[in-house]
Structures are given as C-alpha cells and as structure tokens.
Amino acid sequence: MSLKRKPLSLSAKVENVEEEDTPELSVLDLPELVLECILERLPPDALFRMTGVCTSLRERCRSDHLWEKHMKQKWGSVIGPAAYREWQWHIASKTDLVDVKQGKQKGLMRILSLGWPFSWIRSRVDDHSQQRCSLPADSVMSWYLALETGRFWFPAQVYNRENGHVGFMLSCYDAEISYDPRTDTFQARYPPHGRRAVAIENGVPWERLRAPPIETPAHDLHMSDCLNELQPGDHIEIQWRRNKEFPYGWWYGVVGHLESCDGHENYCLCHNSDTVVLEFNQYTHGSRWRCTNISRRDHREEGNEADGFYGGIRKLRTKEEISTWKRLWPTEVLE
C-alpha cells in the first residue's frame, strides 16, 4: 500500500512557520519589576526551590530582602536582639561553616548535610551539589533555615512554664528554645537553679512564647523606670524569684488601691503615695501571694526566704501585651 502525503494548506504552513520562529520564553525574560513581584509572593519552600533553577535565580532568591519578610512574618514574635546576638556568635564560632576572619564560605551542601528534615530541602540536594553554589553563613536565608530545622537554639521567654505548672501560672521565664518542624511546636530548656537540674519542656506552642521585651539577664535586677507614674489600674510585670540562687521570672499583676482608699476615681490619691500596692488577682483572697507593697521612692529587691523576692517592675503599655496575659488566665483561682 502506498501512502500519499497530503499537501499542507496555506494556513497550516503559516502555523508551522510561526511555531518554528517563536522563541521559547523564560521567566528571566520577564520585566525586572514583574519578576521581583513574583519572587516576593513565593512562600519560603518555593523560594528555596527556585535557588536550584539557575545561577541567576539562585542569586536573586537568596537575597536578604526576600528572606527578611519571611523572617518577620514567622519568627518576629520570638526573635529579639538576644537571639540575633546568639546567631552572630553561632556563625562566628562554627569554623566548619564559615571562617569569618578570612571570609571563606562553605557550600550550601555542607549546611544541608547536617541532616535537616525538610523534604523540600532534601529534594534539591542533587541539584545544589551539581551547581556547587555557596550560601553565606551570615545570610538571612541561612538563619531562616537554621531556625526552621530546629538546629539553632536561641534565647526567648516562655509563659506558664513546664506545661502550665500551678507554681508558674501567669509568669514568664527565660529559656533556650528550638523549633520542631514535625509538630510546629518548640522544645524549651530552662537554666538550672538551686539544686534543680536543667528542666526540659516539649511541645511548647507559639502562643506561649515571646521575645524578651527588655535586655535584663535572668539573674539581674531590672532597674525600674516607671515607678513614679504607676497608679491604680495599671498593668505591670514584676520580677520574682524563690530565693537568691534562682533566676527571676516575670509575673503579671495590676496596681491596686491603698487600704485607706475607697477606690473612688474622683477622690483617689494613691498615685501620690510613696507606697504602691501590687495585686495578683489570680490568687484567692487571703493568699500570701495575693498582694504586696513596694516603695515608689527607693524600690530595690524586697522579700524574704519564705515569700520570695520581688525585683524590678515594668509597666505594660500596649493592649497586645495585656491581652496576652489575660488569654493565659488560669481556669481556677489559685491558692
């Protein structure tokens, strides 16, 4: 059987010519502004994958300004200056990752070889080994990946530590934390105090964490700068510790009225008194933890071995801080 080839119509010929003459377009052919807008809208995993496409996209997709947005969105509530300093120390001390003095950089494959459990990272291992690209250890992308994989422990503060133990309700303590990407929670390590060893808590949710609002170390007295302005109704946090060997925790309370005051707004003169009443209303009436008085004029650390020691005070000035404490309020009154 002979097969005869049908002649192409004029329209078909034109289509073939157009197909042959039309060049293939690349994402890099997009206008600069359009490409930048696309990259800014990519989630972290997609942005990471794009670094394996080609050299040009690799340089673009690991730029700090793209990753700074993701850092702020996901980690901004728990990352503070103390965590940043810890990261700087971390990258400077890890000579197998970066030699700061000589400016040498190890490859991204060295970082990935630490065993980070991201499927979207593992899927690109072969591509990155072929490209032999390097990721600066001090880049924002490198910090993001270190946080995301849980390999980097950093200082933060934990509300209601040790799974909301009754002895720590409405308090906030310093800890080192690391992220668990499998559960989207954190592991917390609390420093030892007294005869007690390091305490470890797993499964800490995001809503029980914050970046330290001030720079005072856990064993140092915070120098209060708000005493002269405190008046009834103000929300405060005050340092408290069981004894001199313990670190301070921050405890939530409110400024109350003097016993001699009836609380009437038009006649209250409590704000003129040298004595400031602090109330901890999570405790029942009659509890020794319910109330304490401090001196407005010369307040330092006050207390004893029986009732613990009260330290510095910081006034809560934002609705967000106050609402966080109220959200953590115990379901039952404490003794």
Side-chain angles (χ1 to χ4, degrees), residues 186-197:
F186 292 81
Q187 185 180 47
R189 296 190 303 215
Y190 303 101
H193 50 270
R195 298 180 179 178
R196 187 174 182 180

Side-chain angles (χ1 to χ4, degrees), residues 9-183:
S9 64
L10 179 60
S11 61
K13 291 180 180 179
V14 172
E15 289 177 0
N16 286 342
V17 171
E18 289 179 348
E19 290 178 0
E20 294 174 359
D21 293 343
T22 302
E24 293 184 3
L25 294 178
S26 164
V27 66
L28 295 177
D29 295 320
L30 294 171
E32 188 74 18
L33 182 59
V34 174
L35 179 57
E36 188 70 16
C37 289
I38 292 174
L39 296 180
E40 287 179 351
R41 285 165 172 76
L42 291 180
D45 58 340
L47 190 61
F48 180 88
R49 289 179 183 273
M50 290 291 283
T51 63
V53 173
C54 65
T55 301
S56 178
L57 285 175
R58 181 171 69 242
E59 295 302 317
R60 292 171 181 269
C61 293
R62 70 182 188 186
S63 69
D64 284 351
H65 86 275
L66 290 176
W67 287 93
E68 283 169 356
K69 180 189 71 171
H70 297 302
M71 282 289 295
K72 183 177 181 179
Q73 287 178 346
K74 181 161 187 177
W75 301 100
S77 63
V78 296
I79 289 293
Y84 179 73
R85 288 194 298 270
E86 185 71 16
W87 172 247
Q88 292 297 309
W89 177 88
H90 175 80
I91 60 177
S93 63
K94 296 296 183 180
T95 56
D96 60 331
L97 293 179
V98 61
D99 187 339
V100 175
K101 293 183 179 180
Q102 298 181 9
K104 295 180 180 178
Q105 298 173 350
K106 301 294 183 178
L108 178 59
M109 285 304 301
R110 174 56 183 163
I111 298 176
L112 297 178
S113 68
L114 294 175
W116 294 349
F118 278 120
S119 60
W120 53 273
I121 291 181
R122 290 198 301 265
S123 67
R124 304 309 299 179
V125 167
D126 293 336
D127 292 343
H128 282 287
S129 63
Q130 293 173 4
Q131 295 165 6
R132 298 181 181 180
C133 64
S134 61
L135 176 63
D138 60 350
S139 68
V140 179
M141 177 180 172
S142 179
W143 191 15
Y144 185 97
L145 296 179
L147 289 166
E148 190 78 20
T149 55
R151 295 290 180 179
F152 176 59
W153 289 78
F154 60 94
Q157 291 181 344
V158 183
Y159 294 101
N160 295 353
R161 60 176 281 181
E162 298 181 37
N163 296 306
H165 187 283
V166 66
F168 296 106
M169 292 299 293
L170 288 193
S171 69
C172 197
Y173 275 78
D174 285 73
E176 285 190 331
I177 65 173
S178 72
Y179 182 63
D180 183 353
R182 298 166 299 176
T183 61

Side-chain angles (χ1 to χ4, degrees), residues 257-290:
H257 291 273
L258 296 170
E259 190 174 349
S260 59
C261 178
D262 62 3
H264 194 286
E265 182 178 353
N266 295 330
Y267 302 104
C268 175
L269 298 176
C270 295
H271 60 281
N272 294 327
S273 173
D274 180 55
T275 299
V276 179
V277 178
L278 302 180
E279 297 179 345
F280 306 94
N281 296 323
Q282 63 269 35
Y283 293 97
T284 185
H285 287 281
S287 170
R288 61 175 176 165
W289 312 113
R290 173 81 180 193

